Amino acid sequence: MDDNLAISSNEFDRLTYKRLDLDREIIDCTALANSCPLDNGRLGIDGRSTGRSQKPLGALDSLPLELLHNILQSLDLQSLTALRAVNIRSRTIIDSYLPYKTIVSHAPNSIRALLGTQLASHFTSQQIYNTLCSDRCFLCGDTGPFLYLLSCSRVCFPCIIDAPELLPITSNTAKEAYALDTASLRSLPTLRSLPGVYSQLWIKSPKRIQLVEKSVAQAAGVALHGSSQAMEDMVTHRKQEQAAAYETRKARAATNPSIKCRTPSCFTQRFDSQGANTHRFLGIMRFPSLNRVTSRLEWSSSCNGCRGTSGQSMTRRWTRMFTQDTFKDHIKDCEPSRRSLVRIRDSMS
């Protein structure tokens, strides 16, 4: 068996299953498609369906298509979307650009999500395309069937649950933790969450909150203050000011019940409940992988042999997902799947 572990598409389908339960823990792509429709492929090429003219693009029309595509490569998704809306000519050019065309064909929800969360101005279609054509989690190297919107990176489910790098913080927390001013805070890639149900506890998150990456916010704080030490000193100074103001207000509240005294946020301990922490799931969506050579699109599946296992190490196995290519490595260590594969092949012989 060890010398014959190449898995066919039919065998892979029978040895794995789709984790439909995960759709209730991350961004709901069905709701996203309904609330954020794209016009790609639905508008007429003659312009009559939109009323937009086929006016030329000025000096850009004098450039060959290859050079125009090189220019498009440097545009972020937000700018690309705005340019595409100018007229029929611009739409035709952008729709012929391979990275954008491929994303629209195979992963249009990534465009919807980046536009909807207001992150589209921070990533190019080339970056999204490169991530689409990969299949590994950028943190651990395992199969990564999800897209982490804040960095446009591919991630796996075990890392979503417990990796410190995948725990974003609110804009207010970043401002306090790294002594950021308004200008620095606005410069950060900021995810504005989409209302929905998130986390392994299926918690409703109806309000849109703003999240940033902790490491990016920290780097911005260091850049603003000149060094890590200067940033930490400023953070300490601000906490001392908040503490002094709190003590003054608490003393006044003791003699005047109408005065409400709220504990400053800097005194609040933040606990990461991992799989129950909605912040870990607000910027996560399903994302297929595209093989550049074969043009085969794959949506990862979970192993039937690891289904329902318990214990810390086995729970990680249960939450892992695989493509057909990566499953052939996993089956070497999964005895139940190897036995199932033998039965499948025996029944076919």
Side-chain angles (χ1 to χ4, degrees):
M1 173 63 70
D2 289 341
D3 297 329
N4 190 26
L5 286 178
I7 307 296
S8 68
S9 297
N10 179 59
E11 291 169 342
F12 177 69
D13 290 341
R14 296 177 67 177
L15 291 168
T16 61
Y17 69 101
K18 302 296 183 183
R19 290 291 304 275
L20 300 179
D21 57 307
L22 297 182
D23 292 337
R24 292 195 63 181
E25 301 178 12
I26 57 179
I27 293 174
D28 185 345
C29 289
T30 300
L32 188 63
N34 292 332
S35 62
C36 185
L38 301 177
D39 65 11
N40 303 80
R42 298 193 297 116
L43 300 179
I45 62 173
D46 58 1
R48 288 177 297 186
S49 60
T50 63
R52 290 180 292 178
S53 68
Q54 295 193 64
K55 292 181 179 180
L57 291 175
L60 290 178
D61 270 330
S62 64
L63 301 177
L65 186 60
E66 292 78 6
L67 187 54
L68 287 173
H69 284 176
N70 287 339
I71 295 173
L72 297 181
Q73 185 174 352
S74 64
L75 293 183
D76 61 72
L77 182 60
Q78 188 71 53
S79 300
L80 202 65
T81 302
L83 178 60
R84 188 177 177 277
V86 171
N87 59 25
I88 300 301
R89 172 65 175 154
S90 64
R91 194 180 79 202
T92 302
I93 292 173
I94 292 173
D95 286 353
S96 68
Y97 176 47
L98 178 62
Y100 182 81
K101 180 180 179 181
T102 304
I103 297 166
V104 169
S105 297
H106 299 300
N109 283 329
S110 62
I111 296 178
R112 296 184 175 102
L114 288 168
L115 290 171
T117 57
Q118 300 181 5
L119 284 170
S121 62
H122 296 281
F123 305 105
T124 66
S125 56
Q126 184 67 53
Q127 288 175 289
I128 305 169
Y129 175 75
N130 290 340
T131 304
L132 178 64
C133 294
S134 64
D135 64 359
R136 301 287 179 164
C137 173
F138 85 103
L139 287 173
C140 69
D142 204 353
T143 304
F146 304 98
L147 181 66
Y148 179 55
L149 295 177
L150 270 166
S151 63
C152 196
S153 302
R154 192 176 286 280
V155 295
C156 67
F157 198 78
C159 285
I160 292 172
I161 294 175
D162 58 28
E165 296 89 342
L166 298 184
L167 176 58
I169 57 178
T170 65
S171 296
N172 288 336
T173 299
K175 186 175 183 178
E176 293 179 354
Y178 306 113
L180 297 176
D181 58 16
T182 301
S184 297
L185 195 62
R186 286 179 177 174
S187 69
L188 302 180
T190 303
L191 179 146
R192 192 177 182 199
S193 66
L194 301 173
V197 176
Y198 296 93
S199 85
Q200 292 184 297
L201 295 185
W202 297 352
I203 299 173
K204 289 184 178 180
S205 182
K207 294 183 178 180
R208 302 191 71 175
I209 63 175
Q210 294 184 331
L211 297 174
V212 299
E213 283 196 283
K214 188 184 300 184
S215 60
V216 176
Q218 184 177 24
V222 172
L224 174 65
H225 298 288
S227 67
S228 296
Q229 187 59 52
M231 179 188 70
E232 291 172 4
D233 291 343
M234 179 57 70
V235 171
T236 301
H237 174 68
R238 290 185 179 181
K239 285 183 177 180
Q240 290 172 344
E241 287 184 334
Q242 288 184 12
Y246 170 67
E247 291 300 329
T248 300
R249 191 171 183 84
K250 187 168 68 171
R252 292 173 57 197
T255 57
N256 187 349
S258 65
I259 298 177
K260 295 182 179 180
C261 189
R262 182 180 299 174
T263 303
S265 57
C266 63
F267 294 163
T268 304
Q269 294 292 325
R270 298 180 177 88
F271 173 70
D272 177 20
S273 53
Q274 297 185 319
N277 189 341
T278 57
H279 287 189
R280 286 189 170 274
F281 297 84
L282 290 170
I284 301 294
M285 65 176 296
R286 279 191 183 272
F287 199 55
S289 60
L290 179 67
N291 188 308
R292 293 179 194 252
V293 177
T294 64
S295 297
R296 184 179 68 190
L297 189 74
E298 287 200 69
W299 294 87
S300 300
S301 301
S302 294
C303 174
N304 273 321
C306 298
R307 195 172 191 170
T309 53
S310 60
Q312 184 174 1
S313 61
M314 293 305 291
T315 298
R316 180 177 176 86
R317 290 172 64 96
W318 176 61
T319 55
R320 291 177 66 195
M321 299 176 75
F322 308 92
T323 62
Q324 185 176 327
D325 289 335
T326 58
F327 188 73
K328 64 184 180 183
D329 295 323
H330 167 73
I331 199 172
K332 297 176 183 178
D333 300 320
C334 183
E335 180 64 27
S337 289
R338 289 206 305 274
R339 291 197 301 266
S340 297
L341 180 58
V342 171
R343 288 195 295 268
I344 291 171
R345 289 180 175 176
D346 288 344
S347 66
M348 300 293 291
S349 59

